[in-house]
Amino acid sequence: MSSSVQRKRVRKSPDERRAEIVEAATAVALAEGLECVTLRRIAEELDVRPGLISHYFPSVEDLVAEAFGSAATAELDRLLPEDPAGATPTRQLAAFFGHTSGPAYDAISRLWINARHLSRYREVLRDRVAEQEGAWRGRLERVIRRGVEREEFRTADPYVTTIQILVVLDGLGAHANTETHDRPAAVTRMAVATAERELGLPGGALDGPAPDSAAVPL
């Protein structure tokens, strides 16, 4: 006589289930783009019914915005942690620039390109993009202001300097969908050079060792 073992369903709390959904949507967004985040697709990823996904996210627009916000926040926390673990502002900025180049950063750059394009047509996503832009500006500006207070940096307007650095990084990131392996070193260093110049630092002050992308995954 044959017997079958019925798979035991694990009952998760609402918070755990919602986090699981967001995590799956974030992974799809980073790998394939925000357009691929649908209620049905995420249900397939988690092997559940689409109705379960819609219970937590009645509108797919909310799930798309949440997936982008989750990815962007995680990357910001990796690049500029709120608690720098004793690192000086100079060392924190050097680490930041070390991680904002190369293949590991290209994935989040592509997601920002994707989100900014889609936000023209999706109001919920547009609000989340604006929120994340503000978070990135605020985090970087705080590092710069701390450096000014410690007399490591010299700038008349930390906010303006923050914008200048992010504009250069955005400009470089806009090419994440194209081949960049032959980019001249002077171009690759544009954001670093801008920061050094605007913060009154000598050339090379914000250079650091190339990050190990395998050790710090997105």
Side-chain angles (χ1 to χ4, degrees), residues 15-38:
D15 288 345
E16 289 175 325
R17 181 64 76 181
R18 190 180 191 281
E20 180 185 56
I21 292 170
V22 172
E23 182 179 0
T26 301
V28 170
L30 282 167
E32 303 173 34
L34 291 165
E35 297 93 337
C36 295
V37 177
T38 65

Side-chain angles (χ1 to χ4, degrees), residues 80-172:
L80 285 173
E82 285 277 21
D83 181 6
T88 66
T90 301
R91 288 178 62 85
Q92 198 174 5
L93 271 193
F96 170 73
F97 287 119
H99 290 305
T100 52
S101 61
Y105 188 65
D106 285 346
I108 196 69
S109 293
R110 293 189 187 99
L111 189 65
W112 272 98
I113 294 169
N114 189 201
R116 282 172 168 147
H117 171 68
L118 292 180
S119 69
R120 295 177 58 194
Y121 319 103
R122 302 185 178 190
E123 184 178 355
V124 177
L125 181 59
R126 183 165 60 247
D127 290 343
R128 189 61 62 90
V129 168
E131 177 184 317
Q132 287 297 325
E133 287 175 339
W136 281 59
R137 282 194 305 269
R139 191 81 63 89
L140 181 56
E141 184 183 358
R142 285 195 291 276
V143 174
I144 291 174
R145 287 190 181 278
R146 191 164 67 93
V148 171
E149 291 168 0
R150 292 166 58 106
E151 299 185 348
E152 292 182 33
F153 305 151
R154 296 189 306 277
T155 176
D157 194 329
Y159 179 75
V160 170
T161 300
T162 297
I163 299 299
Q164 290 173 317
I165 293 170
L166 290 177
V167 164
V168 177
L169 281 175
D170 281 346
L172 294 171

